Amino acid sequence: MTRVFAVSDVHGHLEKLTAALHVAGLTDADGNWAGDEDTRLWFLGDFFDRGPDGIGVLRYVRGLIGQAPDGAIRMLLGNHEILALGMYKFGDTFVPHDGITLRSFERSWALNGGQDRDQELLTDDDVAWLLDQPLLALDTDQLLMHSDTAEYVEWGDTIDQINAAAGAELHSDDIEVWWEIWRRTTSRYAFRGPSGPEVARILLQHLGGRRIVHGHSIVADQLGIDPEFLTGPHLYAEGLALGIDGGAFDGGPCLVVELTAE
């Protein structure tokens, strides 16, 4: 039987990630891939920022991908990949806009937990690999995304269209285009509140799947508890959305969640 797992928002906490993967039976005691041939693992973005070793998380995941069967481990881009790549690509270049406040990727990167070490050790090969990763996927009839936002549909009407359009934009050198990608993927909370279930339902009708699985917004904040007391993901929006961001950078766990098919 196929088993599918998802993890999100590691934010530089490599030790939490390796421990959680081992507890889930996906790696051995040495941190090597141990999943069987019918196991898949999805990373839903945000390797970087807020924690000490984002580059270490990236290198570890890329190493695991090399050990696993083709397609067994996959990644979606999070807003902090966009931010880190924008910082790498544009630095302190001013982003034109009509407001008064100066804005640049460097400023947003610094305000959002950017780590000098990640930028110093990021290579052109790392950048090229990240730029080819998608934003959305469908697995076990579940719609996988980093951010709890409906803004993905601004790129297209299907998962393939969205990934292709966003990918093309990420391969451009237009800072305003990049800034809009950052803005869209940073938005959140679309599936909360009274209108949340309907937003989730419409998104699923357009893109497919029976449930949305996302990171980006810390589950403990939604539950009103301290992240250190969190023990699992949060199913909400009338069962149409599953939040899996354990808040690893804020004292919470790195959640490795098994996604069950129905």
Side-chain angles (χ1 to χ4, degrees), residues 107-181:
R107 184 174 185 273
S108 288
W109 173 81
L111 289 171
N112 287 278
Q115 303 292 308
D116 289 335
R117 182 174 180 273
D118 291 343
Q119 290 290 315
E120 291 165 0
L121 297 179
L122 195 63
T123 67
D124 288 344
D125 182 68
D126 292 326
V127 170
W129 183 80
L130 285 166
L131 288 175
D132 284 336
Q133 304 309 309
L135 293 182
L136 300 178
L138 193 65
D139 200 342
T140 60
D141 201 28
Q142 296 178 86
L143 180 61
L144 309 178
M145 58 181 61
H146 172 71
S147 305
D148 46 329
T149 180
E151 293 217 24
Y152 290 109
V153 297
E154 297 299 319
W155 280 294
D157 297 325
T158 68
I159 291 174
D160 287 345
Q161 285 180 7
I162 291 166
N163 287 334
E169 291 183 359
L170 286 168
H171 282 83
S172 80
D173 294 320
D174 188 327
I175 193 171
E176 292 181 82
V177 169
W178 268 77
W179 190 265
E180 180 63 7
I181 300 171

Side-chain angles (χ1 to χ4, degrees), residues 2 24 30 42 53 95 99 180 192 198 232 243:
T2 300
D30 296 319
W42 286 92
D53 197 10
V95 182
E180 180 63 7
R192 297 190 188 184
E198 184 62 16

Side-chain angles (χ1 to χ4, degrees), residues 36-95:
D36 61 35
E37 61 182 15
D38 293 323
T39 298
R40 287 193 297 274
L41 171 62
W42 286 92
F43 287 91
L44 304 189
D46 279 13
F47 291 164
F48 296 107
D49 306 336
R50 305 195 188 281
D53 197 10
I55 197 71
V57 174
L58 172 64
R59 299 279 166 76
Y60 177 67
V61 171
R62 293 192 69 182
L64 276 186
I65 290 172
Q67 296 172 3
D70 187 40
I73 304 175
R74 306 174 193 178
M75 178 197 175
L76 303 180
L77 290 173
N79 64 307
H80 280 269
E81 276 72 50
I82 306 303
L83 182 59
L85 291 168
M87 172 61 183
Y88 184 85
K89 189 176 181 71
F90 300 108
D92 63 358
T93 301
F94 172 68
V95 182

Side-chain angles (χ1 to χ4, degrees), residues 141-143 204 209-213 235 239-242 259-260:
D141 201 28
Q142 296 178 86
L143 180 61
L204 289 165
R210 63 178 175 83
R211 183 172 69 183
I212 294 162
V213 180
L235 186 65
L240 298 177
L242 183 72
L259 307 179
T260 57

Side-chain angles (χ1 to χ4, degrees), residues 6-11 13 16-17 20 44-46 50 146 188 192 213-223 225-234 242-257:
V7 59
S8 191
D9 297 85
V10 181
H11 282 299
H13 286 273
K16 285 188 177 183
L17 172 63
L44 304 189
D46 279 13
R50 305 195 188 281
H146 172 71
R188 64 175 80 235
R192 297 190 188 184
V213 180
H214 70 83
H216 190 48
S217 296
I218 297 176
V219 168
D221 291 344
Q222 190 169 358
L223 297 176
I225 63 174
D226 191 293
E228 70 176 298
F229 299 119
L230 187 69
T231 58
H234 179 50
L242 183 72
I244 69 168
D245 179 0
F249 79 89
D250 198 28
C254 179
L255 297 176
V256 177
V257 179

Side-chain angles (χ1 to χ4, degrees), residues 91-105:
D92 63 358
T93 301
F94 172 68
V95 182
H97 71 122
D98 295 331
I100 298 174
T101 304
L102 295 179
R103 64 184 189 183
S104 68
F105 275 99

